[in-house]
């Protein structure tokens, strides 16, 4: 089986025990709120451990020995994650949704730029890609919104989510926080279609950025598609373990 066949196989197995409701749904949402917040922030250099992230998000505690920004990033990402789940009931992802998500994540870090397109050119370390100039961002983001609306059903849901991420980070519309926002909207697309989250552990940071660069510099999205499919597959296996879903006939 290829990775997409494995993903579809486990997707079907998980669907047989759906819907997740009540206390179970809350538990799963809270479980991944910590994991996704920690991993997504850690990829960008946040120094909080997963245990410290849990303390900040669940207990409202501050953690000594870390930059204040690291705490703001954890709280902000947690709020953006909660907002993401309010959008499950639809299959659209709008410019307004994306701005709202970034605003929640970034407001305590830089209120003036939270949820606002960047006004300057950017150069991303490690990437030779020439990102759009500020004057092009609104047009590019509206084009992305229309692509979501018109082309979503043309792709496997995991491939669509991965390509949405690639398109978004290649526009790079915000002054900062594009990676985290991109991972949130990718995961929003996944959960809207009933799939599990793609959580990228910091140990795979180099592979993650390399596959993005292959799209930006060589026009090849396939390595990123496979990379994200593997991450969804790992979450599916974890969900099945946590919910005691038998791995009968596992691929």
């Amino acid at each position: 089986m290829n990775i997409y066949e494995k993903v579809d196989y486990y997707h079907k197995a998980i669907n047989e025990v759906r819907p997740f409701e009540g206390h179970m749904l809350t538990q799963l949402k809270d479980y991944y709120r910590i994991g996704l917040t920690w991993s997504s922030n850690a990829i960008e250099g946040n120094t909080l451990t997963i245990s410290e992230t849990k303390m900040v998000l669940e207990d409202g505690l501050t953690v000594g020995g870390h930059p204040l920004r690291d705490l703001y990033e954890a709280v902000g990402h947690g709020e953006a994650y909660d907002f993401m789940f309010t959008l499950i009931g639809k299959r659209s992802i709008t410019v307004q949704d994306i701005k709202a998500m970034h605003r929640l994540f970034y407001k305590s870090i830089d209120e003036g730029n939270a949820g606002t397109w960047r006004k300057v050119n950017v150069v991303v370390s490690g990437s030779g890609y020439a990102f759009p100039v500020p004057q092009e961002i609104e047009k590019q983001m509206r084009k992305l919104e229309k692509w979501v609306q018109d082309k979503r059903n043309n792709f496997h849901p995991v491939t669509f989510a991965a390509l949405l991420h690639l398109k978004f980070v290649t526009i790079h519309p915000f002054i900062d926080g594009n990676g985290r926002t991109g991972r949130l909207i990718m995961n929003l697309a996944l959960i809207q279609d009933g799939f599990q989250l793609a959580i990228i552990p910091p140990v795979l940071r180099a592979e993650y950025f390399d596959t993005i660069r292959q799209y930006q510099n060589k026009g090849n999205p396939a390595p990123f598609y496979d990379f994200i499919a593997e991450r969804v597959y790992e979450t599916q296996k974890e969900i099945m373990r946590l919910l005691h879903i038998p791995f009968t006939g596992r691929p």
Side-chain angles (χ1 to χ4, degrees):
M1 281 188 175
N2 64 36
I3 185 57
Y4 300 98
E5 290 171 331
K6 292 177 181 179
V7 165
D8 288 341
Y9 184 89
Y10 283 153
H11 179 63
K12 181 180 178 181
I14 293 169
N15 277 347
E16 290 177 357
V17 301
R18 285 181 183 271
F20 304 140
E21 296 178 321
H23 186 57
M24 176 57 69
L25 178 60
T26 299
Q27 283 185 317
L28 287 173
K29 178 184 172 184
D30 290 348
Y31 180 83
Y32 285 107
R33 184 174 188 250
I34 295 165
L36 185 62
T37 294
W38 169 73
S39 62
S40 195
N41 280 335
I43 286 172
E44 307 296 342
N46 189 292
T47 61
L48 294 178
T49 66
I50 192 167
S51 296
E52 290 168 338
T53 300
K54 182 179 186 297
M55 290 171 60
V56 172
L57 292 182
E58 287 195 345
D59 305 323
L61 300 177
T62 58
V63 182
H66 295 277
L68 191 57
R69 180 186 174 112
D70 286 1
L71 302 179
Y72 288 154
E73 287 179 346
V75 172
H77 192 282
E79 291 182 4
Y81 175 91
D82 290 342
F83 175 73
M84 176 181 75
F85 271 86
T86 71
L87 304 174
I88 291 181
K90 60 179 185 176
R91 293 188 77 236
S92 62
I93 300 173
T94 67
V95 165
Q96 182 179 353
D97 295 334
I98 294 169
K99 282 187 169 184
M101 209 171 289
H102 184 267
R103 187 178 301 111
L104 288 167
F105 166 69
Y106 207 60
K107 63 184 179 182
S108 295
I109 301 167
D110 182 355
E111 186 174 0
N113 284 308
T116 302
W117 303 146
R118 59 180 165 85
K119 302 175 181 65
V120 296
N121 292 325
V122 291
V123 177
V124 176
S125 177
S127 172
Y129 186 77
F131 294 93
V133 297
Q135 296 83 354
E136 286 291 315
I137 292 174
E138 177 67 19
K139 177 183 175 182
Q140 291 292 328
M141 289 301 296
R142 292 296 174 184
K143 183 178 178 181
L144 180 64
E145 179 182 75
K146 190 173 189 308
W147 175 81
V148 170
Q149 178 182 336
D150 295 345
K151 304 297 183 181
R152 185 165 191 161
N153 293 331
N154 294 357
F155 299 89
H156 185 285
V158 175
T159 303
F160 168 78
L163 186 53
L164 174 61
H165 179 291
L166 288 174
K167 286 177 174 288
F168 174 81
V169 296
T170 300
I171 298 171
H172 210 83
F174 301 112
I175 191 65
D176 191 21
N178 293 280
R180 278 164 280 211
T181 305
R183 290 186 287 277
L184 282 166
I185 64 174
M186 173 179 68
N187 279 303
L188 171 59
L190 286 168
I191 62 177
Q192 283 180 340
D193 281 329
F195 282 77
Q196 307 306 313
L197 299 174
I199 297 178
I200 302 165
V203 70
L204 296 180
R205 181 179 187 274
E207 184 179 352
Y208 167 66
F209 285 121
D210 180 63
T211 52
I212 291 175
R213 286 193 291 269
Q214 289 188 55
Y215 171 74
Q216 292 175 338
N217 298 329
K218 299 178 181 178
N220 181 13
F224 191 75
Y225 292 165
D226 292 347
F227 178 78
I228 294 302
E230 289 283 356
R231 307 281 60 78
V232 173
Y233 178 57
E234 290 302 318
T235 305
Q236 288 175 322
K237 290 194 293 183
E238 184 175 41
I239 286 284
M240 293 181 73
R241 178 181 62 82
L242 291 171
L243 299 184
H244 303 286
I245 302 172
F247 286 82
T248 305
R250 57 189 292 178

